[in-house]
């Protein structure tokens, strides 16, 4: 074991594995076989030899069924082989057996509780996930990562109020543990959003490396732009950016895609890959190796499309593989990272008063910050009846993700329904707990739950076709619709928004300004409610907005994608040359 440890220190893991295997072959009765099998399993897991690691842990457990750490690790190997349900059962069994044996090993208990909760959340079993998080916090209330997931899983279920005292955890502790993404849906306070981002960066991101000097380009050599993302597939980011990649001026720009996206087999994914001059997969590389590869490609401008969202790899950016690094689309807020120099914006989404609360400088373009795709596919026309909607009533809708719904905004929607008697609200049901909690809130507001119509998830083309059916889309606040708002306007349906103080609460207002409908922007919740009611009881006024969109939207600044790409390129050129 000492020799194996020495080999590990020298990064000779394969040799350490061979040493353990040879030793186990020749020491049938040695009591240390238990530890050797376990250590071998750990090394095999590190080398991604998952099936062999599973066999090693099973050998250790056969020698001692109460070897809980081996049982925990065995569950991880099962999950890594696609058997998440089985892994959950194994972690749950560890918890049961810990109680039977009276063990007080807190580390083992928390490992089992937290991984059970994490896996249940991934399985969209949100109520069970929350229950295990609560159990974990009762054991140790100081776990910020658990609190982070606890807050967000309550948002996903529309479990209002999201923040409430739990175990020995105060509301303030929950607020401080809230992730950057979840905070965007909770508070329209740029200072609080910056705090959440900086907390994450402090805990998870290495110190920023010195700025890389500009690359010396030969005369006539193209500027190398790299896009960094794990969402270049059937994802909001992939849907918005594909035409940007396609339309880049290849006389001036050489376009790289550094990607750890899932290969979902979609036509969109194939189109994105074709749009790059160089599509480079980096999912198999660690952050250091990925940053070195990007630097070796001589990238002049690196555009991060991920931010601090799920799957982000901020430590690639922290190493500054490019002299200019820009945040765009992934997190419509500050990332709080010194290594990111700029965020693409426009004058509406990023007004001057927001600058003190953003670590990135604004890289403003003249019209709208958001690109989109004019080739998006739309399914055959649908009828209201086919979607369970009444033909003779006013249909409000909000197809944003349920975690963006707040109790305050939902209660506002209920007051709107109350004041527009012949109306319904059409919503996406992300999960049954969100649906149940929305119905509960409707009842508390005195609204018949029959006036809430819940739609299941649909294919992308059917989803687009649905967007023509409602009379008015009601935006969420403070986390505005982004891709969804773009889709809604592309399909010719008006959207009412409330623009606040933060970047993310001004996204939809930026789109409405660019499409030519600033009348549909409000600046307080009271004005939002009043405007929605006015439109609901005066559908002819709303029809004029729809006519305008049908006639002029494709010629608007919002959907003039070639010009938008040129605007972005001019911004890139300015930064490279300055």
């Amino acid at each position: 074991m000492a020799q194996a440890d020495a080999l590990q220190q020298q990064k000779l893991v394969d040799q350490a594995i061979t040493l353990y295997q040879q030793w186990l072959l020749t020491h049938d009765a040695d009591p240390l076989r238990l530890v050797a099998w376990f250590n071998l399993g750990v090394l095999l897991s590190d080398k991604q030899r998952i099936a062999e690691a599973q066999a090693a842990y099973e050998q250790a457990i056969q020698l001692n069924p109460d070897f809980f750490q081996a049982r925990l690790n065995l569950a991880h190997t099962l999950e890594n082989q696609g058997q998440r349900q089985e892994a959950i059962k194994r972690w749950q069994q560890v918890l049961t057996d810990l109680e039977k044996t009276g063990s007080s090993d807190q580390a083992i208990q928390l490992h089992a509780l937290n991984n059970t909760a994490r896996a249940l959340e991934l399985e969209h079993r949100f109520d069970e996930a929350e229950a295990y998080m609560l159990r974990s916090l009762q054991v140790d209330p100081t776990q910020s990562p658990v609190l982070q997931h606890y807050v967000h899983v309550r948002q996903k279920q529309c479990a209002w109020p999201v923040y409430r005292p739990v175990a020995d955890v105060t509301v303030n502790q929950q607020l401080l543990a809230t992730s950057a993404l979840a905070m965007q849906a909770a508070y329209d306070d740029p200072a609080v959003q910056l705090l959440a981002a900086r907390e994450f960066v402090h805990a998870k991101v290495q110190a920023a490396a010195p700025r890389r000097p500009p690359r010396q380009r030969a005369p006539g050599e193209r500027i190398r732009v790299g896009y960094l993302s794990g969402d270049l597939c059937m994802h909001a980011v992939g849907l918005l950016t594909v035409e940007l990649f396609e339309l880049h001026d290849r006389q001036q720009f050489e376009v790289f895609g550094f990607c750890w996206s899932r290969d979902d087999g979609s036509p969109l994914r194939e189109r994105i890959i074709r749009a790059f001059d160089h599509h480079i997969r980096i999912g198999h590389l660690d952050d250091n190796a990925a940053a070195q590869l990007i630097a070796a490609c001589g990238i002049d401008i690196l555009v991060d499309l991920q931010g601090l969202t799920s799957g982000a790899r901020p430590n690639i950016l922290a190493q500054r593989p490019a002299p200019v690094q820009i945040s765009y689309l992934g997190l419509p807020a500050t990332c709080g990272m010194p290594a990111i120099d700029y965020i693409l914006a426009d004058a509406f989404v990023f007004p001057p008063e927001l600058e003190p609360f953003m670590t990135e400088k604004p890289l403003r373009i003249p019209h709208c910050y958001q690109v989109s795709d004019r080739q998006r596919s739309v399914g055959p026309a649908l009828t209201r009846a086919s979607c369970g909607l009444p033909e003779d009533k006013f249909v409000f809708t909000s197809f944003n993700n349920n975690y963006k719904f707040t109790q305050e905004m939902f209660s506002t929607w209920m007051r709107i329904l109350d004041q527009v008697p012949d109306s319904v609200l059409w919503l996406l049901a992300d999960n049954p707990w969100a649906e149940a909690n929305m119905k509960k809130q409707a009842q508390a507001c005195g609204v018949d739950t029959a006036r809430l119509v819940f739609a299941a998830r649909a294919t992308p083309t059917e989803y687009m076709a649905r967007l023509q059916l409602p009379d008015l889309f009601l935006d969420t606040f403070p986390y505005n619709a982004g891709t969804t708002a773009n889709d809604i306007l592309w399909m010719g349906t008006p959207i009412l928004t409330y623009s606040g103080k933060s970047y993310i609460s001004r996204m939809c207002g930026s789109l409405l300004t660019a499409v030519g409908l600033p009348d549909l922007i409000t600046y307080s919740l009271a004005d939002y409610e009043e405007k929605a009611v006015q439109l609901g009881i005066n559908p002819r006024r709303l029809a004029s907005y729809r006519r305008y969109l049908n006639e002029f939207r494709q010629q608007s600044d919002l959907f003039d994608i070639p010009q938008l790409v040129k605007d972005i390129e001019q911004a890139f050129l300015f930064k490279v040359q300055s």
Side-chain angles (χ1 to χ4, degrees):
M1 289 182 191
Q3 290 177 44
D5 185 58
L7 289 168
Q8 286 177 253
Q9 296 300 319
Q10 300 171 59
K11 301 190 185 301
L12 301 173
V13 177
D14 289 329
Q15 290 89 326
I17 288 171
T18 300
L19 180 58
Y20 272 122
Q21 289 170 331
Q22 290 174 344
W23 187 88
L24 285 162
L25 285 172
T26 56
H27 293 73
D28 289 341
D30 196 304
L32 289 176
R33 285 174 63 80
L34 175 69
V35 181
W37 277 118
F38 177 79
N39 290 353
L40 177 59
V42 172
L43 295 179
L44 289 166
S45 291
D46 289 343
K47 296 294 288 186
Q48 298 302 308
R49 293 161 63 176
I50 304 301
E52 293 174 82
Q54 177 184 339
Y57 290 133
E58 287 171 342
Q59 289 287 345
I61 294 164
Q62 189 173 342
L63 291 169
N64 179 3
D66 290 332
F67 191 178
F68 290 121
Q69 188 61 60
R71 289 171 60 182
L72 294 174
N73 287 13
L74 174 61
H76 284 292
T77 67
L78 293 168
E79 184 181 25
N80 289 335
Q81 294 175 87
Q83 301 178 58
R84 188 180 289 139
Q85 298 282 4
E86 183 61 29
I88 290 169
K89 291 178 184 177
R90 299 295 182 106
W91 286 315
Q92 290 172 326
Q93 190 60 51
V94 166
L95 291 168
T96 300
D97 291 347
L98 279 173
E99 292 178 8
K100 287 180 181 176
T101 61
S103 172
S104 59
D105 192 326
Q106 189 178 99
I108 294 291
Q109 185 182 13
L110 290 175
H111 188 122
L113 285 168
N114 293 341
N115 280 283
T116 302
R118 175 188 58 77
L120 287 166
E121 184 179 0
L122 289 171
E123 289 290 304
H124 290 193
R125 294 161 62 181
F126 296 139
D127 60 335
E128 296 173 77
E130 182 183 350
Y132 277 94
M133 291 174 199
L134 282 172
R135 286 177 59 183
S136 179
L137 292 168
Q138 286 163 354
V139 175
D140 179 5
T142 66
Q143 303 174 87
S144 288
V146 178
L147 278 171
Q148 175 183 317
H149 283 268
Y150 171 77
V151 168
H152 200 39
V153 85
R154 285 184 62 77
Q155 286 180 320
K156 291 175 182 177
Q157 297 174 91
C158 299
W160 299 316
V162 169
Y163 296 101
R164 60 175 186 172
V166 54
D168 290 327
V169 183
T170 66
V171 169
N172 179 262
Q173 287 172 297
Q174 293 171 52
L175 180 66
L176 290 174
T178 301
S179 70
L181 180 67
M183 191 64 80
Q184 314 311 315
Y187 288 98
D188 181 41
D189 187 330
V192 173
Q193 293 179 5
L194 173 61
L195 173 65
R198 292 306 295 265
E199 283 288 316
F200 177 90
V201 170
H202 176 74
K204 299 288 181 68
V205 182
Q206 65 194 58
R211 185 188 299 272
R212 188 176 295 273
R215 180 174 68 94
Q216 296 301 311
R217 300 193 311 280
E221 188 179 0
R222 293 183 294 173
I223 294 168
R224 295 176 185 171
V225 177
Y227 290 93
L228 183 68
S229 181
D231 293 327
L232 301 178
C233 51
M234 280 302 298
H235 181 277
V237 169
L239 289 162
L240 285 177
T241 54
V242 60
E243 197 167 6
L244 165 65
F245 306 145
E246 291 171 337
L247 292 180
H248 266 309
D249 180 358
R250 284 343 199 247
Q251 297 298 313
Q252 294 191 86
F253 296 93
E254 187 175 2
V255 185
F256 293 70
F258 299 101
C259 168
W260 61 97
S261 311
R262 69 185 188 277
D263 288 313
D264 58 11
S266 65
L268 176 66
R269 169 79 173 152
E270 294 175 12
R271 192 175 150 208
I272 289 171
I273 291 172
R274 288 196 308 270
F276 291 118
D277 298 314
H278 311 278
H279 176 258
I280 302 172
R281 290 178 171 85
I282 60 171
H284 62 292
L285 300 176
D286 63 25
D287 292 338
N288 290 337
Q292 290 169 12
L293 185 153
I294 293 167
C297 290
I299 299 302
D300 298 301
I301 296 175
L302 185 61
V303 183
D304 176 43
L305 298 172
Q306 198 86 27
L308 303 180
T309 57
S310 178
R313 298 181 63 179
N315 280 315
I316 295 176
L317 292 140
Q319 296 174 66
R320 284 196 175 272
V324 177
Q325 301 191 158
I326 299 171
S327 175
Y328 186 42
L329 290 180
L331 184 73
T334 186
C335 291
M337 287 180 58
I340 298 180
D341 308 301
Y342 302 97
I343 184 170
L344 267 176
D346 58 56
F348 187 95
V349 81
F350 193 159
E353 56 267 27
L354 185 55
E355 291 187 25
F357 307 103
M358 304 281 286
T359 57
E360 306 87 352
K361 295 176 183 176
L363 187 55
R364 293 190 179 97
I365 53 179
H367 303 111
C368 181
Y369 81 100
Q370 191 187 86
V371 290
S372 57
D373 179 25
R374 295 167 300 165
Q375 301 174 45
R376 64 194 97 180
S377 299
V378 180
L382 300 170
T383 64
R384 283 189 170 184
S386 69
C387 294
L389 294 169
E391 297 283 359
D392 58 344
K393 295 186 184 298
F394 190 96
V395 177
F396 294 104
T397 191
S398 190
F399 277 175
N400 285 342
N401 287 316
N402 291 167
Y403 76 83
K404 296 182 181 182
F405 294 3
T406 64
Q407 186 173 16
E408 184 179 33
M409 181 55 83
F410 192 86
S411 297
T412 300
W413 292 344
M414 295 304 98
R415 291 195 299 273
I416 292 167
L417 287 184
D418 186 55
Q419 296 170 78
V420 184
D422 267 349
S423 65
V424 298
L425 178 59
W426 194 22
L427 301 163
L428 279 179
D430 278 347
N431 58 78
W433 308 282
E435 182 175 337
N437 284 326
M438 282 187 264
K439 288 179 176 177
K440 181 179 177 182
Q441 184 67 23
Q443 289 174 330
C445 293
V447 173
D448 185 350
T449 58
R451 297 178 68 188
L452 304 183
V453 181
F454 289 94
R457 289 282 176 179
T459 64
T461 56
E462 183 183 347
Y463 158 77
M464 291 297 295
R466 283 179 180 178
L467 300 183
Q468 295 175 304
L469 298 178
D471 293 293
L472 179 65
F473 190 100
L474 296 174
D475 197 12
T476 42
F477 179 87
Y479 199 139
N480 279 182
T483 309
T484 304
N486 195 296
D487 289 337
I488 281 278
L489 292 169
W490 179 255
M491 297 308 296
T493 298
I495 178 170
L496 178 69
T497 195
Y498 167 16
S499 293
K501 296 179 289 184
S502 58
Y503 189 116
I504 208 157
S505 74
R506 300 178 67 82
M507 290 193 300
C508 188
S510 169
L511 273 60
L512 283 166
T513 300
V515 85
L517 287 178
D519 283 358
L520 291 173
I521 305 170
T522 63
Y523 296 94
S524 72
L525 200 57
D527 288 346
Y528 174 96
E529 179 181 336
E530 182 182 356
K531 186 84 167 184
V533 172
Q534 287 175 355
L535 294 172
I537 61 180
N538 186 8
R540 284 183 296 180
R541 184 176 176 188
L542 194 61
S544 69
Y545 292 134
R546 188 179 287 273
R547 283 195 302 272
Y548 169 82
L549 285 172
N550 286 333
E551 291 180 26
F552 299 110
R553 70 181 186 278
Q554 294 194 33
Q555 290 79 48
S556 70
D557 289 337
L558 178 60
F559 295 119
D560 186 354
I561 308 304
Q563 183 59 52
L564 216 167
V565 173
K566 288 177 183 176
D567 292 341
I568 291 172
E569 289 176 342
Q570 283 300 117
F572 287 173
L573 285 167
F574 175 73
K575 287 305 164 191
V576 169
Q577 293 167 358
S578 61

